[in-house]
Amino acid sequence: TLWGSWLKGKTAAIPELEKAGCDFVVFSGSTVLTAAAEEKTGKILEVEPSISDTMLRAANNLPVDAVFINDDSVREGSLTWQHLIGFQRCVDLLTKPILAPVPADAGSEELKLLWEAGVVGAVVDTEELSQEKFKALRKTIDDTKFLPRGRRRGKLDAVMPRLSGKPTPVAPEEEEEEE
């Protein structure tokens, strides 16, 4: 089982977490760079859904393994279409795997919609999560049939224009003889 730590502050002690067996850390943009410098520990960058498109695209070039779109309003209620639009926007702009928060009582249909939008991981706040709710969510995830995603719309290859009619032949240049 993988486990990780959420670095809530600006600094952290990743070597101690790594010694404890931590597989990954989640950190925000305000975390000091040296705090996330360990190579053995996976790094997940936490961003707000309101981040600009330019900043979001810039995350593609950062040395992180995934991006967590942290929307606190999800934990306060249910997933909405507005949340799904925000997650889809991030998926469309990022090449990194996307993680998104889900409420503890998320159902199979909600998880499928997130998957189809391109979200590859669900993050659940476990502070107020009972063991029974955790087991129920785990069972929901295990029982859900996630279909393989097809080719993503919007990420198409370049298309070259076609010429109509026959191409005009190019006459070879004549070489001038020098005397």
Side-chain angles (χ1 to χ4, degrees), residues 24-60:
F24 65 90
V25 292
V26 179
F27 57 91
S28 70
S30 63
T31 303
V32 176
L33 286 175
T34 56
E38 291 296 316
E39 291 294 324
K40 297 176 187 173
T41 305
K43 292 176 272 314
I44 300 172
L45 176 64
E46 172 192 4
V47 298
E48 297 296 321
S50 60
I51 189 170
S52 72
D53 290 0
T54 304
M55 294 288 284
L56 203 53
R57 277 191 217 102
N60 286 324

PDB file of all heavy atoms in Angstrom, residues 24-60:
ATOM      1  N   PHE A  24       5.242   9.313  -1.211  1.00  0.00           N
ATOM      2  CA  PHE A  24       5.051  10.575  -1.937  1.00  0.00           C
ATOM      3  C   PHE A  24       4.690  11.687  -0.968  1.00  0.00           C
ATOM      4  O   PHE A  24       4.257  11.433   0.157  1.00  0.00           O
ATOM      5  CB  PHE A  24       3.963  10.440  -3.012  1.00  0.00           C
ATOM      6  CG  PHE A  24       2.592  10.173  -2.463  1.00  0.00           C
ATOM      7  CD1 PHE A  24       1.737  11.214  -2.147  1.00  0.00           C
ATOM      8  CD2 PHE A  24       2.154   8.867  -2.270  1.00  0.00           C
ATOM      9  CE1 PHE A  24       0.472  10.964  -1.631  1.00  0.00           C
ATOM     10  CE2 PHE A  24       0.895   8.612  -1.771  1.00  0.00           C
ATOM     11  CZ  PHE A  24       0.051   9.663  -1.446  1.00  0.00           C
ATOM     12  N   VAL A  25       4.887  12.908  -1.414  1.00  0.00           N
ATOM     13  CA  VAL A  25       4.476  14.080  -0.645  1.00  0.00           C
ATOM     14  C   VAL A  25       3.638  14.986  -1.546  1.00  0.00           C
ATOM     15  O   VAL A  25       3.876  15.065  -2.752  1.00  0.00           O
ATOM     16  CB  VAL A  25       5.670  14.879  -0.069  1.00  0.00           C
ATOM     17  CG1 VAL A  25       6.390  14.085   1.004  1.00  0.00           C
ATOM     18  CG2 VAL A  25       6.620  15.306  -1.154  1.00  0.00           C
ATOM     19  N   VAL A  26       2.671  15.644  -0.944  1.00  0.00           N
ATOM     20  CA  VAL A  26       1.857  16.641  -1.623  1.00  0.00           C
ATOM     21  C   VAL A  26       2.271  17.977  -1.037  1.00  0.00           C
ATOM     22  O   VAL A  26       2.312  18.134   0.186  1.00  0.00           O
ATOM     23  CB  VAL A  26       0.350  16.395  -1.395  1.00  0.00           C
ATOM     24  CG1 VAL A  26      -0.480  17.456  -2.096  1.00  0.00           C
ATOM     25  CG2 VAL A  26      -0.048  15.002  -1.853  1.00  0.00           C
ATOM     26  N   PHE A  27       2.604  18.930  -1.905  1.00  0.00           N
ATOM     27  CA  PHE A  27       3.028  20.234  -1.407  1.00  0.00           C
ATOM     28  C   PHE A  27       2.453  21.329  -2.280  1.00  0.00           C
ATOM     29  O   PHE A  27       2.126  21.107  -3.449  1.00  0.00           O
ATOM     30  CB  PHE A  27       4.559  20.338  -1.350  1.00  0.00           C
ATOM     31  CG  PHE A  27       5.227  20.087  -2.669  1.00  0.00           C
ATOM     32  CD1 PHE A  27       5.486  21.124  -3.543  1.00  0.00           C
ATOM     33  CD2 PHE A  27       5.586  18.796  -3.043  1.00  0.00           C
ATOM     34  CE1 PHE A  27       6.085  20.892  -4.772  1.00  0.00           C
ATOM     35  CE2 PHE A  27       6.189  18.567  -4.264  1.00  0.00           C
ATOM     36  CZ  PHE A  27       6.436  19.607  -5.130  1.00  0.00           C
ATOM     37  N   SER A  28       2.330  22.512  -1.704  1.00  0.00           N
ATOM     38  CA  SER A  28       1.750  23.640  -2.438  1.00  0.00           C
ATOM     39  C   SER A  28       2.850  24.464  -3.082  1.00  0.00           C
ATOM     40  O   SER A  28       4.042  24.239  -2.843  1.00  0.00           O
ATOM     41  CB  SER A  28       0.924  24.517  -1.495  1.00  0.00           C
ATOM     42  OG  SER A  28       1.784  25.191  -0.605  1.00  0.00           O
ATOM     43  N   GLY A  29       2.448  25.444  -3.856  1.00  0.00           N
ATOM     44  CA  GLY A  29       3.400  26.321  -4.510  1.00  0.00           C
ATOM     45  C   GLY A  29       4.185  27.175  -3.540  1.00  0.00           C
ATOM     46  O   GLY A  29       5.256  27.679  -3.880  1.00  0.00           O
ATOM     47  N   SER A  30       3.702  27.339  -2.307  1.00  0.00           N
ATOM     48  CA  SER A  30       4.419  28.152  -1.331  1.00  0.00           C
ATOM     49  C   SER A  30       5.453  27.358  -0.536  1.00  0.00           C
ATOM     50  O   SER A  30       6.134  27.910   0.322  1.00  0.00           O
ATOM     51  CB  SER A  30       3.423  28.819  -0.377  1.00  0.00           C
ATOM     52  OG  SER A  30       2.717  27.842   0.359  1.00  0.00           O
ATOM     53  N   THR A  31       5.590  26.064  -0.807  1.00  0.00           N
ATOM     54  CA  THR A  31       6.591  25.244  -0.126  1.00  0.00           C
ATOM     55  C   THR A  31       7.976  25.613  -0.639  1.00  0.00           C
ATOM     56  O   THR A  31       8.173  25.798  -1.843  1.00  0.00           O
ATOM     57  CB  THR A  31       6.321  23.745  -0.366  1.00  0.00           C
ATOM     58  OG1 THR A  31       5.010  23.445   0.076  1.00  0.00           O
ATOM     59  CG2 THR A  31       7.323  22.876   0.367  1.00  0.00           C
ATOM     60  N   VAL A  32       8.934  25.698   0.263  1.00  0.00           N
ATOM     61  CA  VAL A  32      10.310  26.021  -0.101  1.00  0.00           C
ATOM     62  C   VAL A  32      10.844  24.923  -1.020  1.00  0.00           C
ATOM     63  O   VAL A  32      10.633  23.734  -0.777  1.00  0.00           O
ATOM     64  CB  VAL A  32      11.179  26.145   1.175  1.00  0.00           C
ATOM     65  CG1 VAL A  32      12.632  26.377   0.833  1.00  0.00           C
ATOM     66  CG2 VAL A  32      10.652  27.254   2.066  1.00  0.00           C
ATOM     67  N   LEU A  33      11.519  25.325  -2.078  1.00  0.00           N
ATOM     68  CA  LEU A  33      12.000  24.358  -3.078  1.00  0.00           C
ATOM     69  C   LEU A  33      12.861  23.256  -2.483  1.00  0.00           C
ATOM     70  O   LEU A  33      12.735  22.104  -2.871  1.00  0.00           O
ATOM     71  CB  LEU A  33      12.781  25.089  -4.173  1.00  0.00           C
ATOM     72  CG  LEU A  33      11.955  25.898  -5.160  1.00  0.00           C
ATOM     73  CD1 LEU A  33      12.877  26.654  -6.105  1.00  0.00           C
ATOM     74  CD2 LEU A  33      11.006  25.016  -5.936  1.00  0.00           C
ATOM     75  N   THR A  34      13.742  23.575  -1.557  1.00  0.00           N
ATOM     76  CA  THR A  34      14.627  22.551  -0.994  1.00  0.00           C
ATOM     77  C   THR A  34      13.857  21.510  -0.200  1.00  0.00           C
ATOM     78  O   THR A  34      14.339  20.402  -0.002  1.00  0.00           O
ATOM     79  CB  THR A  34      15.701  23.191  -0.098  1.00  0.00           C
ATOM     80  OG1 THR A  34      15.051  23.969   0.918  1.00  0.00           O
ATOM     81  CG2 THR A  34      16.642  24.046  -0.907  1.00  0.00           C
ATOM     82  N   ALA A  35      12.650  21.840   0.242  1.00  0.00           N
ATOM     83  CA  ALA A  35      11.855  20.877   1.004  1.00  0.00           C
ATOM     84  C   ALA A  35      11.415  19.708   0.131  1.00  0.00           C
ATOM     85  O   ALA A  35      11.178  18.621   0.624  1.00  0.00           O
ATOM     86  CB  ALA A  35      10.630  21.567   1.604  1.00  0.00           C
ATOM     87  N   ALA A  36      11.294  19.919  -1.163  1.00  0.00           N
ATOM     88  CA  ALA A  36      10.820  18.866  -2.063  1.00  0.00           C
ATOM     89  C   ALA A  36      11.924  18.380  -2.989  1.00  0.00           C
ATOM     90  O   ALA A  36      11.667  17.938  -4.082  1.00  0.00           O
ATOM     91  CB  ALA A  36       9.647  19.394  -2.872  1.00  0.00           C
ATOM     92  N   ALA A  37      13.171  18.438  -2.530  1.00  0.00           N
ATOM     93  CA  ALA A  37      14.298  18.124  -3.396  1.00  0.00           C
ATOM     94  C   ALA A  37      14.664  16.643  -3.425  1.00  0.00           C
ATOM     95  O   ALA A  37      15.466  16.238  -4.244  1.00  0.00           O
ATOM     96  CB  ALA A  37      15.519  18.942  -2.967  1.00  0.00           C
ATOM     97  N   GLU A  38      14.123  15.825  -2.535  1.00  0.00           N
ATOM     98  CA  GLU A  38      14.478  14.410  -2.504  1.00  0.00           C
ATOM     99  C   GLU A  38      14.046  13.712  -3.791  1.00  0.00           C
ATOM    100  O   GLU A  38      12.952  13.937  -4.286  1.00  0.00           O
ATOM    101  CB  GLU A  38      13.837  13.719  -1.296  1.00  0.00           C
ATOM    102  CG  GLU A  38      14.406  14.156   0.028  1.00  0.00           C
ATOM    103  CD  GLU A  38      15.864  13.793   0.199  1.00  0.00           C
ATOM    104  OE1 GLU A  38      16.256  12.667  -0.141  1.00  0.00           O
ATOM    105  OE2 GLU A  38      16.623  14.650   0.675  1.00  0.00           O
ATOM    106  N   GLU A  39      14.900  12.885  -4.325  1.00  0.00           N
ATOM    107  CA  GLU A  39      14.619  12.205  -5.598  1.00  0.00           C
ATOM    108  C   GLU A  39      13.809  10.925  -5.422  1.00  0.00           C
ATOM    109  O   GLU A  39      13.079  10.534  -6.302  1.00  0.00           O
ATOM    110  CB  GLU A  39      15.938  11.874  -6.314  1.00  0.00           C
ATOM    111  CG  GLU A  39      16.662  13.097  -6.818  1.00  0.00           C
ATOM    112  CD  GLU A  39      15.922  13.819  -7.921  1.00  0.00           C
ATOM    113  OE1 GLU A  39      15.277  13.156  -8.746  1.00  0.00           O
ATOM    114  OE2 GLU A  39      15.962  15.056  -7.945  1.00  0.00           O
ATOM    115  N   LYS A  40      13.925  10.257  -4.282  1.00  0.00           N
ATOM    116  CA  LYS A  40      13.270   8.959  -4.093  1.00  0.00           C
ATOM    117  C   LYS A  40      11.783   9.083  -3.793  1.00  0.00           C
ATOM    118  O   LYS A  40      11.039   8.143  -3.995  1.00  0.00           O
ATOM    119  CB  LYS A  40      13.947   8.208  -2.947  1.00  0.00           C
ATOM    120  CG  LYS A  40      15.399   7.877  -3.215  1.00  0.00           C
ATOM    121  CD  LYS A  40      16.027   7.218  -2.019  1.00  0.00           C
ATOM    122  CE  LYS A  40      17.521   7.051  -2.231  1.00  0.00           C
ATOM    123  NZ  LYS A  40      18.193   6.561  -1.035  1.00  0.00           N
ATOM    124  N   THR A  41      11.373  10.206  -3.294  1.00  0.00           N
ATOM    125  CA  THR A  41       9.988  10.400  -2.898  1.00  0.00           C
ATOM    126  C   THR A  41       9.207  11.047  -4.037  1.00  0.00           C
ATOM    127  O   THR A  41       9.654  12.026  -4.620  1.00  0.00           O
ATOM    128  CB  THR A  41       9.919  11.306  -1.642  1.00  0.00           C
ATOM    129  OG1 THR A  41      10.738  10.739  -0.622  1.00  0.00           O
ATOM    130  CG2 THR A  41       8.505  11.421  -1.133  1.00  0.00           C
ATOM    131  N   GLY A  42       8.051  10.503  -4.353  1.00  0.00           N
ATOM    132  CA  GLY A  42       7.207  11.083  -5.388  1.00  0.00           C
ATOM    133  C   GLY A  42       6.726  12.463  -4.971  1.00  0.00           C
ATOM    134  O   GLY A  42       6.495  12.723  -3.792  1.00  0.00           O
ATOM    135  N   LYS A  43       6.573  13.344  -5.950  1.00  0.00           N
ATOM    136  CA  LYS A  43       6.184  14.714  -5.651  1.00  0.00           C
ATOM    137  C   LYS A  43       4.877  15.045  -6.382  1.00  0.00           C
ATOM    138  O   LYS A  43       4.764  14.857  -7.585  1.00  0.00           O
ATOM    139  CB  LYS A  43       7.283  15.679  -6.077  1.00  0.00           C
ATOM    140  CG  LYS A  43       8.544  15.557  -5.231  1.00  0.00           C
ATOM    141  CD  LYS A  43       9.655  16.450  -5.708  1.00  0.00           C
ATOM    142  CE  LYS A  43      10.552  15.860  -6.746  1.00  0.00           C
ATOM    143  NZ  LYS A  43      11.062  14.548  -6.591  1.00  0.00           N
ATOM    144  N   ILE A  44       3.920  15.552  -5.599  1.00  0.00           N
ATOM    145  CA  ILE A  44       2.631  15.952  -6.147  1.00  0.00           C
ATOM    146  C   ILE A  44       2.424  17.419  -5.807  1.00  0.00           C
ATOM    147  O   ILE A  44       2.417  17.801  -4.638  1.00  0.00           O
ATOM    148  CB  ILE A  44       1.487  15.089  -5.570  1.00  0.00           C
ATOM    149  CG1 ILE A  44       1.729  13.612  -5.906  1.00  0.00           C
ATOM    150  CG2 ILE A  44       0.135  15.565  -6.100  1.00  0.00           C
ATOM    151  CD1 ILE A  44       0.789  12.650  -5.238  1.00  0.00           C
ATOM    152  N   LEU A  45       2.261  18.233  -6.838  1.00  0.00           N
ATOM    153  CA  LEU A  45       2.061  19.669  -6.665  1.00  0.00           C
ATOM    154  C   LEU A  45       0.583  19.959  -6.471  1.00  0.00           C
ATOM    155  O   LEU A  45      -0.249  19.550  -7.273  1.00  0.00           O
ATOM    156  CB  LEU A  45       2.581  20.429  -7.891  1.00  0.00           C
ATOM    157  CG  LEU A  45       2.367  21.942  -7.908  1.00  0.00           C
ATOM    158  CD1 LEU A  45       3.133  22.611  -6.768  1.00  0.00           C
ATOM    159  CD2 LEU A  45       2.792  22.511  -9.252  1.00  0.00           C
ATOM    160  N   GLU A  46       0.262  20.660  -5.401  1.00  0.00           N
ATOM    161  CA  GLU A  46      -1.114  21.060  -5.112  1.00  0.00           C
ATOM    162  C   GLU A  46      -1.357  22.448  -5.693  1.00  0.00           C
ATOM    163  O   GLU A  46      -0.580  23.369  -5.457  1.00  0.00           O
ATOM    164  CB  GLU A  46      -1.324  21.097  -3.598  1.00  0.00           C
ATOM    165  CG  GLU A  46      -2.628  21.680  -3.161  1.00  0.00           C
ATOM    166  CD  GLU A  46      -2.669  21.963  -1.666  1.00  0.00           C
ATOM    167  OE1 GLU A  46      -1.659  21.783  -0.971  1.00  0.00           O
ATOM    168  OE2 GLU A  46      -3.735  22.396  -1.213  1.00  0.00           O
ATOM    169  N   VAL A  47      -2.424  22.584  -6.487  1.00  0.00           N
ATOM    170  CA  VAL A  47      -2.798  23.889  -7.040  1.00  0.00           C
ATOM    171  C   VAL A  47      -4.283  24.126  -6.798  1.00  0.00           C
ATOM    172  O   VAL A  47      -5.060  23.181  -6.639  1.00  0.00           O
ATOM    173  CB  VAL A  47      -2.478  24.015  -8.549  1.00  0.00           C
ATOM    174  CG1 VAL A  47      -0.999  23.880  -8.821  1.00  0.00           C
ATOM    175  CG2 VAL A  47      -3.260  23.012  -9.363  1.00  0.00           C
ATOM    176  N   GLU A  48      -4.649  25.386  -6.775  1.00  0.00           N
ATOM    177  CA  GLU A  48      -6.051  25.775  -6.637  1.00  0.00           C
ATOM    178  C   GLU A  48      -6.711  25.722  -8.012  1.00  0.00           C
ATOM    179  O   GLU A  48      -6.053  25.988  -9.018  1.00  0.00           O
ATOM    180  CB  GLU A  48      -6.145  27.187  -6.062  1.00  0.00           C
ATOM    181  CG  GLU A  48      -5.568  27.327  -4.669  1.00  0.00           C
ATOM    182  CD  GLU A  48      -6.323  26.522  -3.628  1.00  0.00           C
ATOM    183  OE1 GLU A  48      -7.577  26.461  -3.712  1.00  0.00           O
ATOM    184  OE2 GLU A  48      -5.671  25.948  -2.746  1.00  0.00           O
ATOM    185  N   PRO A  49      -7.995  25.425  -8.081  1.00  0.00           N
ATOM    186  CA  PRO A  49      -8.656  25.361  -9.383  1.00  0.00           C
ATOM    187  C   PRO A  49      -8.727  26.723 -10.082  1.00  0.00           C
ATOM    188  O   PRO A  49      -8.913  26.786 -11.294  1.00  0.00           O
ATOM    189  CB  PRO A  49     -10.058  24.837  -9.060  1.00  0.00           C
ATOM    190  CG  PRO A  49     -10.241  25.038  -7.603  1.00  0.00           C
ATOM    191  CD  PRO A  49      -8.883  25.066  -6.989  1.00  0.00           C
ATOM    192  N   SER A  50      -8.529  27.800  -9.355  1.00  0.00           N
ATOM    193  CA  SER A  50      -8.596  29.138  -9.943  1.00  0.00           C
ATOM    194  C   SER A  50      -7.262  29.584 -10.548  1.00  0.00           C
ATOM    195  O   SER A  50      -7.162  30.698 -11.057  1.00  0.00           O
ATOM    196  CB  SER A  50      -9.030  30.156  -8.879  1.00  0.00           C
ATOM    197  OG  SER A  50      -8.100  30.159  -7.809  1.00  0.00           O
ATOM    198  N   ILE A  51      -6.264  28.731 -10.540  1.00  0.00           N
ATOM    199  CA  ILE A  51      -4.951  29.079 -11.086  1.00  0.00           C
ATOM    200  C   ILE A  51      -5.102  29.435 -12.569  1.00  0.00           C
ATOM    201  O   ILE A  51      -5.924  28.854 -13.273  1.00  0.00           O
ATOM    202  CB  ILE A  51      -3.945  27.915 -10.879  1.00  0.00           C
ATOM    203  CG1 ILE A  51      -2.528  28.349 -11.230  1.00  0.00           C
ATOM    204  CG2 ILE A  51      -4.362  26.694 -11.646  1.00  0.00           C
ATOM    205  CD1 ILE A  51      -1.462  27.333 -10.833  1.00  0.00           C
ATOM    206  N   SER A  52      -4.304  30.388 -13.026  1.00  0.00           N
ATOM    207  CA  SER A  52      -4.412  30.827 -14.423  1.00  0.00           C
ATOM    208  C   SER A  52      -3.949  29.726 -15.378  1.00  0.00           C
ATOM    209  O   SER A  52      -3.166  28.846 -15.006  1.00  0.00           O
ATOM    210  CB  SER A  52      -3.577  32.086 -14.648  1.00  0.00           C
ATOM    211  OG  SER A  52      -2.201  31.766 -14.637  1.00  0.00           O
ATOM    212  N   ASP A  53      -4.411  29.814 -16.605  1.00  0.00           N
ATOM    213  CA  ASP A  53      -4.026  28.839 -17.628  1.00  0.00           C
ATOM    214  C   ASP A  53      -2.515  28.846 -17.841  1.00  0.00           C
ATOM    215  O   ASP A  53      -1.896  27.789 -18.002  1.00  0.00           O
ATOM    216  CB  ASP A  53      -4.731  29.138 -18.958  1.00  0.00           C
ATOM    217  CG  ASP A  53      -6.220  28.862 -18.911  1.00  0.00           C
ATOM    218  OD1 ASP A  53      -6.721  28.432 -17.848  1.00  0.00           O
ATOM    219  OD2 ASP A  53      -6.889  29.081 -19.933  1.00  0.00           O
ATOM    220  N   THR A  54      -1.912  30.021 -17.840  1.00  0.00           N
ATOM    221  CA  THR A  54      -0.468  30.140 -18.056  1.00  0.00           C
ATOM    222  C   THR A  54       0.308  29.440 -16.945  1.00  0.00           C
ATOM    223  O   THR A  54       1.254  28.701 -17.216  1.00  0.00           O
ATOM    224  CB  THR A  54      -0.061  31.627 -18.122  1.00  0.00           C
ATOM    225  OG1 THR A  54      -0.836  32.264 -19.141  1.00  0.00           O
ATOM    226  CG2 THR A  54       1.411  31.785 -18.422  1.00  0.00           C
ATOM    227  N   MET A  55      -0.089  29.665 -15.715  1.00  0.00           N
ATOM    228  CA  MET A  55       0.591  29.014 -14.582  1.00  0.00           C
ATOM    229  C   MET A  55       0.380  27.501 -14.622  1.00  0.00           C
ATOM    230  O   MET A  55       1.295  26.735 -14.328  1.00  0.00           O
ATOM    231  CB  MET A  55       0.075  29.588 -13.255  1.00  0.00           C
ATOM    232  CG  MET A  55       0.418  31.042 -13.048  1.00  0.00           C
ATOM    233  SD  MET A  55       2.160  31.294 -12.706  1.00  0.00           S
ATOM    234  CE  MET A  55       2.242  30.763 -11.021  1.00  0.00           C
ATOM    235  N   LEU A  56      -0.812  27.086 -14.991  1.00  0.00           N
ATOM    236  CA  LEU A  56      -1.111  25.656 -15.063  1.00  0.00           C
ATOM    237  C   LEU A  56      -0.248  24.980 -16.124  1.00  0.00           C
ATOM    238  O   LEU A  56       0.331  23.917 -15.873  1.00  0.00           O
ATOM    239  CB  LEU A  56      -2.597  25.464 -15.368  1.00  0.00           C
ATOM    240  CG  LEU A  56      -3.239  24.154 -14.990  1.00  0.00           C
ATOM    241  CD1 LEU A  56      -2.997  23.818 -13.527  1.00  0.00           C
ATOM    242  CD2 LEU A  56      -4.722  24.198 -15.261  1.00  0.00           C
ATOM    243  N   ARG A  57      -0.133  25.603 -17.291  1.00  0.00           N
ATOM    244  CA  ARG A  57       0.727  25.046 -18.350  1.00  0.00           C
ATOM    245  C   ARG A  57       2.188  25.002 -17.915  1.00  0.00           C
ATOM    246  O   ARG A  57       2.920  24.087 -18.293  1.00  0.00           O
ATOM    247  CB  ARG A  57       0.587  25.859 -19.629  1.00  0.00           C
ATOM    248  CG  ARG A  57      -0.609  25.473 -20.454  1.00  0.00           C
ATOM    249  CD  ARG A  57      -0.556  26.116 -21.835  1.00  0.00           C
ATOM    250  NE  ARG A  57      -1.876  26.484 -22.257  1.00  0.00           N
ATOM    251  CZ  ARG A  57      -2.382  27.719 -22.222  1.00  0.00           C
ATOM    252  NH1 ARG A  57      -1.655  28.725 -21.828  1.00  0.00           N
ATOM    253  NH2 ARG A  57      -3.603  27.946 -22.620  1.00  0.00           N
ATOM    254  N   ALA A  58       2.612  25.988 -17.131  1.00  0.00           N
ATOM    255  CA  ALA A  58       4.000  26.021 -16.650  1.00  0.00           C
ATOM    256  C   ALA A  58       4.310  24.819 -15.765  1.00  0.00           C
ATOM    257  O   ALA A  58       5.449  24.346 -15.723  1.00  0.00           O
ATOM    258  CB  ALA A  58       4.273  27.326 -15.903  1.00  0.00           C
ATOM    259  N   ALA A  59       3.304  24.285 -15.085  1.00  0.00           N
ATOM    260  CA  ALA A  59       3.505  23.116 -14.226  1.00  0.00           C
ATOM    261  C   ALA A  59       3.925  21.892 -15.024  1.00  0.00           C
ATOM    262  O   ALA A  59       4.531  20.962 -14.475  1.00  0.00           O
ATOM    263  CB  ALA A  59       2.239  22.824 -13.429  1.00  0.00           C
ATOM    264  N   ASN A  60       3.634  21.858 -16.317  1.00  0.00           N
ATOM    265  CA  ASN A  60       4.034  20.730 -17.162  1.00  0.00           C
ATOM    266  C   ASN A  60       5.546  20.536 -17.165  1.00  0.00           C
ATOM    267  O   ASN A  60       6.022  19.414 -17.329  1.00  0.00           O
ATOM    268  CB  ASN A  60       3.555  20.933 -18.602  1.00  0.00           C
ATOM    269  CG  ASN A  60       2.076  20.709 -18.750  1.00  0.00           C
ATOM    270  OD1 ASN A  60       1.497  19.852 -18.100  1.00  0.00           O
ATOM    271  ND2 ASN A  60       1.455  21.505 -19.593  1.00  0.00           N
TER     272      ASN A  60
END
